[in-house]
Amino acid sequence: MNILVVHNPVTDGASPADADVMDQVQAVATALAGLGHDVQILDWPRHLCQARSLLTEQRPEMVFNLVESLEGSARSAHLVPALLEEMKIPFTGGSASALQNSTSKLLVKSVLHASGLPGPLWLDNQGGGSACFPGVYIVKSVWEHASHALESDNVLRTSSPTKLLEAIEQHMAQLGGEWFAEVYIPGREFSLAMIEEAGVPRFLCPAEMVFTGYPAEMPKVVGYRAKWLEQSFEYQNTIRRQKFSGQDMALLDSLRALAHECWLAFELSGYARVDFRVDAHNQPWVIDVNANPCLSPDAGYQAAALASGVGFKEIMERLLQAASRQFHAFHGGRLQHYTLLSGDVHLGTDHIPA
C-alpha cells in the first residue's frame, strides 16, 4: 500500500518535546516499510490549500497522521484529519472531532461532564468552571500537551478565585496561549493505553508513574522536566511501573472501565491513552485523554504495548486496519465542517489560523 507519513515540521533548535516527532516518524516509516508498504514522508505544509495540492498530487492510499501541532500550537492539529476526511483519504488515529475534543483540556472537561465521567474541578481564564474554594490547584495550558511548561511550581493553594485567576493570567502573559487551572490531586498517577482490534479497544498493560525521593513539601507532577530533561531531579526520580500486586486489581479494573467509557464518549479510534490521578480515597479522576498518543520507542505507549506482548509492527497493522474501518464507517455518513473556538474554518481555501 502507498502510505504517506505526515508530521509537523521541526525547526533547528526545537525543544525535545517538539523534536520527538521525528523519532516517531523514523520508527513508523521503518516499521511500515518492513511490512512491505511503499512509504513516503511529508512535512505538513503551513497552509491547508498547499496540503490539499500535495495530497492530490501524491494520491496516497493511506495517510499515517503524526501531526501534533501546526505553526507551533496544537490548537489547530485537528484540521489535518478534517482535511483528510473531506478529501476522502483514509488516515490513522483519531477523527477531527475526537482530536479537537481531546486536545483542548476545557473541551475534555465538557465531554467528561456531559458523560458523567469524573474529572477535577476547574477554573478558566474568564472565571468560568466548577472550581470551589479554598483549594489546591494546578495551572495548565489549555491546548498544549507533552507537559508544556508544567512543573511543581504550577501548584498553588488559594482561598479565592482572585489569586488563581492572577496565576492563570501570569502564565498567559509570560508564555502566551490559553491557560486554566484544575484541582491538584495529590495521589497516584496511572495511564491506560488502548489499541483498536475489530472495532473495539483492547487494553494494554497499565502503568503507574512512581515518584521516589521527592521532598514531602514538593508537589508530585509528571511535568516537563520529568518527561524531557534527563539530568533533572524529576526525570531521574519519576519511574514508570507496570507490575502490580493483587491489592490493585480492583482499582485497575475501575480504570479500564473508565477508559472504555472515555473511548466511547470521545469517539476514539485506532489508539488512545487515558491518564488518571487516584486520590486518597481510591477515587480515580480523568486528567487527560490523548487521541493520538506518542509512538516514540521510549514513550509510554510502546512500553505498555511491549509489556502486553504487542510488537511495534503489530501496532502498525492494527492502526492500518482501524483506519480502514473508520474510513468506511465515516463515508457511510455525512461529511462535517469543524469549528475552532476562534471561528469557522472552511477547509481547503483558508490559511491555517494562528
Side-chain angles (χ1 to χ4, degrees), residues 70 85 94 100 116 119 127 136 139-140 142 184 201 210 214 216 239 255-256 275 282 313 330 338:
L70 295 174
E85 288 168 1
Q100 183 179 36
V136 180
V139 180
K140 294 182 172 180
V142 171
Y184 169 71
V210 180
Y214 274 60
I239 311 298
L255 298 183
R256 292 187 187 96
D275 296 338
N282 231 25
K313 286 186 177 179
F330 183 84
Y338 296 91

Side-chain angles (χ1 to χ4, degrees), residues 192-195 263 268-274 289-293 301:
L192 197 53
M194 296 170 280
I195 189 163
W263 182 279
L268 302 171
S269 58
Y271 62 139
R273 194 194 69 236
V274 181
V289 177
N290 195 326
N292 285 357
Y301 191 88

